[in-house]
Amino acid sequence: MAKMNFGGVEETVVTREEFPLSKALEVLKDETIAIIGYGVQGPGQGLNLRDNGFNVIVGQRPGKTYEKAVNDGWVPGETLFGIEEACERGTIICCLLSDAAVISQWPNIKKHLTAGKALYFSHGFAITWSDRTGVVPPADIDVIMVAPKGSGATVRSLYLEGRGINSSFAVYQDYTGRALQRTLAMGIGIGSGYLFETTFQREATSDLTGERGSLMGAIQGLFLAQYEVLRENGHSPSEAFNETVEEATQSLYPLVAKNGMDWMYANCSTTAQRGALDWMGPFHDAIKPVVEALYASVKRGDEAQRSIDSNSQADYREKLDEELRQMRESEMWRTAVTVRNLRPENAK
């Protein structure tokens, strides 16, 4: 593991050059990796591991997701099993179920965590708030984490592009003395571009803050507020959407991703530069107290409890579908459909 400088701060980083796939395969040559849950992260991580030559099986309950696994080439009775049988067969049990499903399935998983196995997560939620989830691992296993910084679909697509997604890693419990090697081998095996060190608690709090903040919650709130103001002042839906979302996602954000915010600023008009520099301060000052309140709510466990409570309701899926329907059928996102269809690559 190497120390690298991030903005003047040293962090521990592992690259594929330092820990090549050949080394990962050697470390895990006697392991059976059981992917438990084939919903969001399961397909990407499982398929990448399989393509990279690891011994992988999948554990999934019957239903549409089970059929998806079959369609992806997992063979019932050979590489595809029920959750408990996969946990029994696996030496590294990858708990990639939703947070709510982890809680409900924990008794079935725990009974198969025999001495020397590894319990692998891609999110620190269940362990960090174990007083609320009830997920307390036995003392005679390794408890490890590799958390890709993106969706399961991106884990797969970036792997197929030969790139790889960045991931954080952590060791919560090292019983065998091999926990770190197992962790890094798993990180390389799922196709990580590079791995940076964290803890279960830091990953969980930063992840929940990011999802509710700049990754999803805050960005939808900002988009909607600007769109509404433009529409209320007589701008057409097309103009309001293009100036709010389309230009951001199709033109400016890719420049930020490639070269940084300063480069994007430097390559915009002088009018845009001046306005952005003048207004970023008021936006920062208005938003930071909200982010501070959000982080405090996450750290207290309030957001974890809200997630647990809502997901445990019998009608949660119906309520969620209704909330998403309202978003999808709002004027802004109905306009998005038309705008996307007008992009040159989609135009007929």
Side-chain angles (χ1 to χ4, degrees):
M1 295 188 290
K3 294 289 186 180
M4 295 191 68
N5 190 297
F6 290 84
V9 178
E10 277 198 343
E11 295 187 39
T12 299
V13 168
V14 178
T15 67
R16 287 187 283 193
E17 289 72 27
E18 181 184 2
F19 202 110
L21 179 59
S22 59
K23 182 176 180 179
L25 286 165
E26 178 64 23
V27 169
L28 301 182
K29 65 180 180 180
D30 297 322
E31 305 271 16
T32 297
I33 302 166
I35 302 293
I36 307 303
Y38 205 71
V40 177
Q41 283 288 334
Q45 295 196 33
L47 292 171
N48 291 0
L49 286 162
R50 187 176 72 182
D51 288 355
N52 275 333
F54 295 86
N55 181 25
V56 191
I57 61 175
V58 170
Q60 175 60 44
R61 292 165 290 186
K64 290 182 179 179
T65 307
Y66 186 96
E67 296 307 316
K68 180 183 186 310
V70 172
N71 292 335
D72 283 346
W74 303 99
V75 181
E78 295 182 15
T79 55
L80 177 60
F81 305 92
I83 287 176
E84 284 206 50
E85 185 171 356
C87 287
E88 183 179 5
R89 289 170 175 266
T91 59
I92 298 178
I93 299 176
C94 301
C95 195
L96 300 181
L97 299 158
S98 69
D99 294 324
V102 171
I103 296 170
S104 65
Q105 289 292 325
W106 177 241
N108 299 323
I109 295 170
K110 186 176 181 179
K111 69 176 70 170
H112 299 291
L113 292 173
T114 52
K117 288 192 176 186
L119 178 62
Y120 166 104
F121 291 95
S122 283
H123 187 20
F125 186 104
I127 295 294
T128 298
W129 292 291
S130 59
D131 58 328
R132 301 165 189 264
T133 64
V135 177
V136 179
D140 57 357
I141 65 166
D142 293 341
V143 183
I144 62 178
M145 177 177 66
V146 177
K149 299 299 105 180
S151 69
T154 310
V155 170
R156 183 59 174 166
S157 64
L158 291 182
Y159 170 83
L160 292 174
E161 292 172 16
R163 296 164 59 192
I165 194 166
N166 302 330
S167 303
S168 60
F169 73 92
V171 173
Y172 179 79
Q173 186 169 285
D174 183 5
Y175 171 76
T176 65
R178 298 177 53 243
L180 179 58
Q181 290 291 294
R182 282 169 139 178
T183 305
L184 298 179
M186 284 293 298
I188 297 302
I190 68 170
S192 300
Y194 73 86
L195 297 142
F196 62 94
E197 191 173 25
T198 188
T199 66
F200 274 63
Q201 190 272 340
R202 291 206 307 266
E203 191 282 333
T205 51
S206 61
D207 186 79
L208 265 65
T209 300
E211 291 167 346
R212 286 148 179 77
S214 64
L215 301 179
M216 296 173 68
I219 202 68
Q220 164 66 7
L222 176 59
F223 281 165
L224 184 59
Q226 181 169 305
Y227 181 89
E228 288 174 343
V229 169
L230 290 173
R231 291 288 288 123
E232 288 160 4
N233 283 275
H235 298 269
S236 69
S238 178
E239 184 170 59
F241 185 84
N242 272 277
E243 295 291 357
T244 299
V245 179
E246 188 74 353
E247 186 173 352
T249 60
Q250 299 303 299
S251 176
L252 301 184
Y253 291 173
L255 298 182
V256 176
K258 184 176 181 180
N259 297 308
M261 187 70 76
D262 61 318
W263 193 94
M264 188 269 281
Y265 272 38
N267 286 272
C268 289
S269 71
T270 55
T271 301
Q273 290 169 1
R274 185 69 267 145
L277 290 166
D278 289 345
W279 276 92
M280 69 178 184
F283 272 109
H284 168 272
D285 295 346
I287 292 168
K288 189 170 182 181
V290 179
V291 178
E292 289 173 335
L294 164 59
Y295 188 82
S297 180
V298 170
K299 197 166 186 179
R300 284 194 306 267
D302 295 353
E303 297 302 310
Q305 192 62 52
R306 186 175 293 114
S307 177
I308 293 168
D309 291 345
S310 61
N311 278 279
S312 64
Q313 296 174 5
D315 61 348
Y316 172 70
R317 177 57 60 180
E318 289 76 11
K319 290 179 178 177
L320 173 64
D321 288 345
E322 174 58 21
E323 289 181 283
L324 295 177
R325 183 197 65 78
Q326 292 180 18
M327 181 185 295
R328 181 173 62 253
E329 295 182 5
S330 67
E331 183 187 274
M332 182 171 74
W333 292 113
R334 283 188 288 116
T335 299
V337 175
T338 304
V339 171
R340 286 196 297 270
N341 287 335
L342 288 171
R343 291 176 188 163
E345 66 270 22
N346 296 327
K348 295 180 180 179

